[in-house]
């Protein structure tokens, strides 16, 4: 693994599996919980993606990034999708216990946002930062209120993965020879067109750590009588977010509600109200034939669903801040690290807001050049 200066990797043995973590070498093990932040990556990535923001945090904060099972340097074990994202959240809890940590600040990106929301349903946390998170109702196959479109989650899960992309992950492809190569997917889907970095090789390396063994990425599928002809299977990464298995909208009812920061970009190609990773959106756009129409197979309004749940969280007494960054893609922490860093430090209570007392829910829209 390519670890940056000042970052070190080590394996944590837990009763569930061996977990790789990244830490800053100068961080103190006895840092108090209120100054400890744990980063959880998303699908087809690893802890390597967090290194820049870890480096940029103040020196008296302890920063840890965890590799989920089947990603990065962590042990590869099958993922039971019928538990939703609980295999991952249980692994995270086992890791924090092995590190002697209780409630900490959690940051989750994309699928990792779902992992930390699931974690918060079962364990105390100090704050949640959700970066471009999967909808609280899963990925694909739901109406705005979270109700499922079909009983078998048609069009969701492992059957929706691009087989050539999966093969190129297996092959360790680092080229731009095809639109389905990991590097091409990173450029087209993870970030906006204006993103430039000297670390792209590391981000691609991170994507290529994705385990594609049976039971990992992408997962299985079942035949369906509903369009487009397949439904979610029972094992593997993509099936964990099928709505029959995953629903964390219950965070609204948490008796103790940690502050939540939601960060997302308006140019996100993966999580949006018109995501081109949603097969119903592809059908609507004419890219998959025989789409049955809006009444039967509407695209999932992912961002609107998250906003609705966080508004309900506010109405139930919680505090949530929505930070929208114009022109930014699926990885705001890469494209606008200073903005994300400051917002994270605010939700952690490390620094005060510069705008005075905050209402329970606040919507902030920043232009990409801010």
């Amino acid at each position: 693994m390519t670890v940056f200066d000042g970052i070190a990797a080590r394996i944590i043995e837990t009763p569930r599996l061996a977990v790789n973590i990244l830490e800053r070498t100068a961080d103190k093990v006895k840092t108090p919980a209120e100054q400890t932040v744990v980063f959880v990556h998303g699908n087809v990535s690893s802890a390597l993606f967090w290194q820049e923001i870890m480096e940029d945090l103040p020196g008296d904060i302890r920063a840890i990034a965890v590799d989920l099972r089947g990603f990065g340097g962590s042990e590869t074990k099958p993922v039971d999708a019928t538990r939703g994202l609980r295999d991952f959240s249980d692994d995270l809890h086992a890791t924090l216990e092995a590190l002697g940590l209780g409630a900490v600040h959690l940051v989750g990106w994309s699928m990792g946002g779902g992992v930390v929301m699931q974690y918060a349903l079962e364990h105390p946390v100090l704050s949640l930062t959700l970066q471009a998170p999967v909808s609280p109702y899963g990925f694909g196959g739901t109406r705005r209120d979270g109700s499922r479109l079909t009983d078998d989650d048609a069009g969701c899960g492992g059957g929706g993965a691009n087989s050539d992309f999966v093969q190129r992950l297996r092959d360790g492809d680092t080229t731009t020879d095809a639109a389905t190569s990991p590097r091409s997917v990173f450029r087209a889907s993870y970030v906006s067109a204006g993103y430039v970095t000297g670390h792209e090789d590391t981000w691609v390396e991170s994507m290529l750590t994705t385990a594609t063994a049976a039971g990992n990425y992408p997962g299985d599928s079942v035949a369906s009588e509903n369009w487009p002809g397949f439904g979610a299977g029972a094992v593997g990464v993509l099936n964990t977010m099928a709505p029959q298995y995953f629903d964390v909208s219950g965070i609204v009812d948490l008796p103790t509600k940690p502050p939540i920061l939601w960060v997302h970009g308006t140019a996100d190609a993966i999580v949006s109200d018109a995501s081109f990773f949603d097969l119903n959106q592809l059908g609507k756009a004419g890219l998959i034939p025989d789409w049955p129409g809006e009444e039967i197979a509407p695209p999932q309004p992912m961002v609107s669903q998250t906003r609705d749940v966080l508004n309900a969280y506010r109405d139930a007494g919680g505090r949530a801040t929505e930070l929208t960054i114009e022109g930014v893609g699926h990885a705001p922490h890469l494209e606008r690290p200073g903005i994300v860093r400051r917002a994270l430090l605010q939700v952690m209570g490390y620094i005060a807001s510069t705008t005075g007392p905050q209402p329970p829910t606040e919507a902030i829209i920043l232009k990409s050049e801010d």
Side-chain angles (χ1 to χ4, degrees):
M1 288 189 300
T2 302
V3 293
F4 296 174
D5 290 343
I7 305 287
R10 65 178 171 121
I11 296 294
I12 306 299
E13 297 291 344
T14 81
R16 294 178 57 81
L17 78 167
V19 176
N20 183 69
I21 68 169
L22 300 183
E23 298 173 290
R24 299 189 301 186
T25 54
D27 286 355
K28 295 179 174 61
V29 172
K30 293 186 178 181
T31 300
E34 61 268 21
Q35 291 176 218
T36 299
V37 58
V38 177
F39 296 90
V40 182
H41 64 83
N43 190 20
V44 192
S45 63
S46 75
L48 292 178
F49 268 99
W50 294 117
Q51 293 183 93
E52 286 182 314
I53 194 167
M54 290 172 70
E55 287 181 322
D56 290 343
L57 289 173
D60 55 348
I61 284 178
R62 185 181 183 191
I64 300 168
V66 176
D67 280 333
L68 300 175
R69 66 168 61 193
F71 297 95
S74 287
E75 187 176 354
T76 297
K77 284 190 173 183
V79 178
D80 180 357
T82 66
R83 303 187 70 235
L85 290 170
R86 288 181 180 87
D87 272 359
F88 294 128
S89 64
D90 287 353
D91 293 346
L92 175 61
H93 183 247
T95 304
L96 298 186
E97 281 200 320
L99 290 168
L101 295 171
V104 295
H105 301 277
L106 293 179
V107 180
W109 174 30
S110 195
M111 182 181 77
V115 173
V116 301
M117 283 189 277
Q118 182 64 58
Y119 187 99
L121 287 174
E122 297 164 350
H123 309 285
V125 299
L126 298 182
S127 73
L128 291 176
T129 295
L130 311 175
Q131 178 181 252
V134 61
S135 163
Y137 299 116
F139 199 95
T142 57
R143 302 174 185 87
R144 181 160 176 169
D145 65 359
S147 58
R148 291 164 61 199
L149 301 179
T150 65
D151 290 338
D152 57 2
D153 292 342
C156 300
N162 183 292
S163 59
D164 192 59
F165 174 65
V166 176
Q167 186 59 52
R168 288 174 184 273
L169 287 175
R170 292 190 181 113
D171 295 342
D173 183 0
T174 62
T175 72
T176 55
D177 291 347
T180 51
S181 76
R183 191 180 298 272
S184 296
V185 169
F186 170 80
R187 292 178 180 179
S189 302
Y190 283 39
V191 292
S192 66
Y195 174 73
V196 178
T197 177
H199 296 307
E200 185 177 85
D201 286 348
T202 302
W203 310 154
V204 174
E205 176 190 346
S206 174
M207 297 172 70
L208 291 172
T209 66
T210 302
T212 56
N216 294 105
Y217 182 83
D220 63 344
S221 64
V222 298
S224 172
E225 295 181 356
N226 301 300
W227 186 89
F230 70 87
V235 297
V237 174
L238 292 186
N239 293 316
T240 63
M241 293 171 282
Q244 63 183 298
Y245 306 133
F246 178 77
D247 182 344
V248 292
S249 61
I251 60 171
V252 169
D253 301 317
L254 284 174
T256 301
K257 293 178 170 61
I260 295 177
L261 168 67
W262 172 31
V263 182
H264 62 107
T266 61
D268 192 333
I270 297 175
V271 176
S272 77
D273 283 0
S275 169
F276 274 83
F277 284 71
D278 179 355
L279 267 69
N280 289 350
Q281 177 64 31
L282 295 177
K284 181 179 179 179
L287 300 176
I288 299 178
D290 303 321
W291 178 61
E294 289 271 3
E295 189 66 28
I296 296 174
Q300 181 190 13
M302 304 175 187
V303 170
S304 295
Q305 288 176 332
T306 298
R307 185 173 293 119
D308 290 347
V309 169
L310 292 185
N311 281 339
Y313 188 83
R314 172 206 62 193
D315 292 343
R319 176 177 170 180
T321 299
E322 176 184 354
L323 175 58
T324 305
I325 310 177
E326 291 188 357
V328 166
H330 191 58
H333 75 291
L334 297 184
E335 296 193 57
R336 296 294 179 268
I339 292 172
V340 175
R341 171 185 176 276
R342 183 169 186 82
L344 170 60
L345 292 175
Q346 287 178 2
V347 78
M348 290 176 62
Y350 185 86
I351 60 174
S353 169
T354 58
T355 57
Q358 302 295 302
T361 295
E362 156 181 60
I364 304 169
I365 301 176
L366 293 175
K367 295 181 179 179
S368 61
E369 64 267 18
D370 288 348

